[in-house]
Amino acid sequence: MDNDKHLKGTTTVGIVCSDGVVLATEQRATMGNFIASKTAKKIYQIDDLVGMTTAGSVGDAQQIVRVISVESKLFKMRRQESVTIKGIATLLSNLLSGQRYYPLMVQLLIGGFDKNGPAVYSLDALGGKIEETKAVATGSGSPMAYGVLEDRYKDDMTVGEGVDLAIRALHNAMKRDSASGEGIDVVVITKDKYERLDQEEVKKKRETLN
């Protein structure tokens, strides 16, 4: 049996900013009380300007990434344009709800920049879809992350401010949640680019929080 199917434990964050979207996760994967990985990948690039964060079963998440990446490529080939964030969220919702008798054990955030601007959607294991207009957190450490997000989020934040807030929220969650931990992965998506922050830059920002 594939051990990836049982890697769990996460905190993920999505923040809608005035000029783009920030997606961030910590990098620990657990199997029960066993730390299986300290550098687990939990943010996947789905399209040029679209990312997805995953909480829950790594194996299920990777299966979803494969399917949705192919679907977005096919859409672009047929229509000569990228599918919208809402369109990808709807595809994911249909995929998840179609599995309700054998649910894929995941919580997902889909975020990016399209012709309508920045957008983030959250999805649960049964396909429930919510458009998030401010900030959202998923996974085992989300209650702690929400405390920071709700306290410090403000309208019209820039992606630079969003990065600082996402790192602060995850830093606090990781201190209090045994299933979240180690490094932080941050992706910034604007109308021009999909950028993964350098680990040294993230580390420096975390040091200012201590």
Side-chain angles (χ1 to χ4, degrees), residues 61-73:
Q62 289 173 341
Q63 180 183 340
I64 290 167
V65 169
R66 286 191 291 269
V67 172
I68 209 67
S69 296
V70 169
E71 289 292 339
S72 62
K73 286 185 177 72

Side-chain angles (χ1 to χ4, degrees), residues 10-77:
T10 285
T11 310
T12 78
V13 169
I15 300 175
V16 181
C17 304
S18 60
D19 52 345
V21 161
V22 176
L23 300 174
T25 74
E26 43 65 49
Q27 296 177 310
R28 178 184 289 180
T30 60
M31 289 188 290
N33 294 321
F34 171 65
I35 299 172
S37 172
K38 293 185 178 182
T39 57
K41 182 177 180 180
K42 299 177 186 177
I43 308 181
Y44 297 88
Q45 186 169 7
I46 302 300
D47 204 342
D48 293 341
L49 298 176
V50 185
M52 182 174 84
T53 75
T54 62
S57 165
V58 175
D60 285 351
Q62 289 173 341
Q63 180 183 340
I64 290 167
V65 169
R66 286 191 291 269
V67 172
I68 209 67
S69 296
V70 169
E71 289 292 339
S72 62
K73 286 185 177 72
L74 287 172
F75 183 95
K76 191 181 289 186
M77 286 168 60

Side-chain angles (χ1 to χ4, degrees), residues 4 27 34 45-46 52 59-61 63-64 86-87 104 115-116 118-119 135 152 162 167 169 175 184 191 198 207:
D4 268 357
Q27 296 177 310
F34 171 65
Q45 186 169 7
I46 302 300
M52 182 174 84
D60 285 351
Q63 180 183 340
I64 290 167
K86 183 178 182 179
L104 297 165
K115 61 187 179 184
N116 302 310
R152 292 179 175 264
I167 291 172
K175 286 195 294 188
I184 292 176
K191 64 182 175 62
D198 180 73
E207 286 170 355

Side-chain angles (χ1 to χ4, degrees), residues 166-187:
I167 291 172
R168 180 181 292 275
L170 286 172
H171 182 77
N172 277 272
M174 289 155 63
K175 286 195 294 188
R176 294 171 176 81
D177 175 35
S178 63
S180 297
E182 312 320 319
I184 292 176
D185 201 8
V186 183
V187 165

